[in-house]
Amino acid sequence: MIYYKSKDIALKLGINLAKWKRWSRDFLPPDPLGGLQSGVARQFNLRDVFKIYFGGYLVGNLCFTIPEAVRILSDLSPWLKKNGYFELQPKTISARSGNGHRSFIYIHWYSNLHFAYCIRTVSQCALAGLDSICQETFTQTLIGTDADPLTVGQSPSATVIAISTLYDDLLKGIV
């Protein structure tokens, strides 16, 4: 298992070190080996790095608040674990899904700290005519809802994250 230090991760990913450390306190449980006064630098495995990176992306790029990002991570953790995003060894998209499928998370905001999610994993995209029309085949996972809020008209918009791309970008940055 590979362990990373805050300074190395922040440098490789181009993230301010103080911001990375703050996000690590926000998105991970307390360090069991020490605190601020222990003199022991916290080390992260790949699962921890991805949690912090994803949480930081939600806050820094998509303007969610820290409590909202914590809630989103909590809601999505079972799916992320099941689909190989919380592995301890780096795996490219083809190694995770078997054949290069791309996943997209649609986040629907309902009320204070209540979200619904529609996750689409695209398995095929084929041109369906001469007008650059693409026909996609995908599987859909719903979390916190019984139907896709966009297709049934419950939500006028959603925040979309290409989670496969985000994960692969992280791997390119730290490996």
Side-chain angles (χ1 to χ4, degrees), residues 86-101:
F86 285 170
E87 297 290 327
L88 296 177
Q89 296 298 322
K91 291 184 181 174
T92 61
I93 187 166
S94 57
R96 280 193 319 277
S97 64
N99 47 11
H101 298 174

Side-chain angles (χ1 to χ4, degrees), residues 108-127:
H108 302 274
W109 184 83
Y110 279 144
S111 63
N112 190 23
L113 294 181
H114 177 72
F115 298 94
Y117 310 91
C118 177
I119 304 167
R120 292 183 181 168
T121 302
V122 178
S123 58
Q124 182 180 0
C125 183
L127 289 177

Side-chain angles (χ1 to χ4, degrees), residues 4-110:
Y4 305 92
K5 293 184 179 178
S6 291
K7 184 177 180 181
D8 298 330
I9 296 168
L11 182 65
K12 287 181 178 182
L13 296 176
I15 298 171
N16 180 291
L17 179 59
K19 186 183 288 188
W20 179 265
K21 287 182 176 184
R22 185 178 70 244
W23 286 345
S24 71
R25 289 189 300 271
D26 290 331
F27 301 121
L28 295 179
D31 185 8
L33 297 178
L36 294 174
Q37 301 296 323
S38 72
V40 177
R42 185 165 191 169
Q43 294 184 337
F44 306 94
N45 58 38
L46 182 60
R47 174 183 26 216
D48 294 339
V49 172
F50 182 66
K51 284 181 184 179
I52 299 166
Y53 187 70
F54 185 29
Y57 185 82
L58 291 168
V59 172
N61 293 71
L62 300 179
C63 300
F64 286 101
T65 65
I66 295 288
E68 289 170 340
V70 168
R71 179 58 188 232
I72 291 167
L73 276 170
S74 173
D75 292 345
L76 293 175
S77 285
W79 184 88
L80 291 168
K81 182 177 181 180
K82 179 183 174 190
N83 288 279
Y85 292 96
F86 285 170
E87 297 290 327
L88 296 177
Q89 296 298 322
K91 291 184 181 174
T92 61
I93 187 166
S94 57
R96 280 193 319 277
S97 64
N99 47 11
H101 298 174
R102 311 291 299 171
S103 295
F104 303 90
I105 300 174
Y106 294 74
I107 302 173
H108 302 274
W109 184 83
Y110 279 144

